[in-house]
Amino acid sequence: MNAVTESKVRIQKEDFVVTDEIEAMKKVSRNIGGIVTFLGTGRELSKGENISQLNFEHYPQMAEKKLEEIRVKAIEDYKIIDMSIIHRIGEIEIGENIVLIVAAGEHRKEAFAACEWAIAELKRTTPIWKRETTSNGEVWVQDTP
Amino acid sequence: MITVKYFASLKNFSNTDEDQFEASGISTLLDLSHAISKNHPQLGEMIRGKKIMVSVNLDVANLESEIHDGDEVALLPPFSGGTHS
C-alpha cells in the first residue's frame, strides 16, 4: 500500500511530497470544495542564532494519539470533511519539510479555521520536541509562541 | 515494576532514557516523584512543582493520579513540535 493512503496521521523520518498528500485528500470526497495546507519548514535563523540543523524527538504512541485527537476534534468542531497531519522526526536540514496539515472542507472558511487551530493545538498538546544545533552547541527549544 | 521514561532536555538530568522503580509503596504520582528524587532530585522537584507534564499510560496525569505495577510513566518537558512559523 502506498504510504500516502496508509493513515491520515503519520509521524515519520522520511520526507513527504505535499502534492501527493493533497491529491490523496482530494480522493476522500467529491464534496471537497476547498483545501487549506500548512507546511512548516526548517528555518536558518532562530532568536538571532544561526541554525545548522534541527532534530525532532517524539514520544511514540502518545504523539500519534494526540495527533489523531486533533484530527477528530478539527473534523467535529469545524465541520470539515477530513484532515491529514504528518510530522517528521529525526534530523532535518534547513529548508526541509517538518510538518504538514491538510484540511479539506466544502468551503474555504472552515478549512482555513481548522488548519490554523490544528497547528496551534499540535504545538500545545503533542509530545514532540525540537533540538536546534547552533554555533553555541545544541539547544532544546522549550517555548511555544 | 514501574517504567519511567525521560524525554528531550530531561535526559540531561536523568542521563538515561528510562528507569525502573519497584511498585511497592508507590500508589500516586506524588509517591513516585519522591522515588525519582532519590536519584534525580531536580526531576522530582519539577514534577512536584508542576514545571513539567507527566503522562501515565499515555494520558496526562496529576500528582494525585494513581500509579500501578506495570504502568508506563513519562516525564514530558514543554513541547516544541511543528514550527515557529
Side-chain angles (χ1 to χ4, degrees):
Chain A
M1 188 184 270
N2 187 320
V4 167
T5 59
E6 270 176 14
S7 170
K8 290 290 192 307
V9 165
R10 293 174 359 234
I11 295 178
Q12 60 189 47
K13 282 191 174 172
E14 18 346 305
D15 196 6
F16 47 80
V17 179
V18 177
T19 50
D20 288 355
E21 303 302 330
I22 293 170
E23 288 305 315
M25 181 59 79
K26 282 161 73 176
K27 291 185 175 74
V28 167
S29 168
R30 289 173 61 84
N31 281 330
I32 293 172
I35 294 178
V36 173
T37 62
F38 172 78
L39 175 66
T41 55
R43 192 177 58 221
E44 186 172 56
L45 203 63
S46 177
K47 299 192 198 80
E49 288 276 354
N50 263 309
I51 311 297
S52 57
Q53 192 178 59
L54 300 166
N55 196 303
F56 286 84
E57 180 182 328
H58 75 310
Y59 181 10
Q61 292 183 282
M62 187 177 181
E64 286 87 346
K65 181 173 171 239
K66 289 293 174 186
L67 292 186
E68 184 59 27
E69 285 173 8
I70 291 167
R71 176 178 169 265
V72 167
K73 194 163 168 39
I75 292 167
E76 284 177 0
D77 288 1
Y78 291 89
K79 307 291 184 281
I80 57 172
I81 292 169
D82 205 351
M83 174 179 278
S84 61
I85 308 174
I86 307 166
H87 203 301
R88 291 180 65 203
I89 51 160
E91 290 182 357
I92 291 179
E93 303 297 330
I94 302 308
E96 286 189 357
N97 297 331
I98 299 172
V99 57
L100 178 70
I101 297 179
V102 182
E106 284 184 43
H107 310 95
R108 69 183 184 278
K109 189 178 175 185
E110 61 265 31
F112 269 110
C115 193
E116 184 163 29
W117 173 81
I119 185 61
E121 193 68 2
L122 182 155
K123 291 178 64 64
R124 197 179 69 82
T125 65
T126 308
I128 297 176
W129 299 274
K130 177 165 65 175
R131 193 176 69 218
E132 295 176 338
T133 303
T134 73
S135 52
N136 295 324
E138 294 183 338
V139 182
W140 286 102
V141 178
Q142 294 214 338
D143 58 345
T144 311
Chain B
M1 297 296 276
I2 297 161
T3 302
V4 176
K5 291 175 171 279
Y6 307 103
F7 286 97
S9 57
L10 300 185
K11 282 184 276 196
N12 296 337
F13 298 100
S14 64
N15 295 315
T16 181
D17 291 346
E18 190 176 293
D19 275 330
Q20 300 281 331
F21 290 86
E22 282 289 345
S24 58
I26 293 175
S27 59
T28 65
L29 177 57
L30 181 61
D31 298 336
L32 179 64
S33 78
H34 290 298
I36 291 169
S37 280
K38 286 175 187 163
N39 289 330
H40 315 301
Q42 305 100 323
L43 293 176
E45 283 170 24
M46 284 183 202
I47 297 168
R48 290 188 294 278
K50 299 176 186 172
K51 299 277 189 281
I52 54 173
M53 196 180 279
V54 181
S55 67
V56 177
N57 301 333
L58 310 182
D59 289 321
V60 174
N62 58 47
L63 290 171
E64 294 76 41
S65 295
E66 289 184 5
I67 308 268
H68 303 99
D69 194 16
D71 281 354
E72 178 177 290
V73 176
L75 307 196
L76 312 170
F79 309 141
S80 57
T83 61
H84 294 190
S85 305

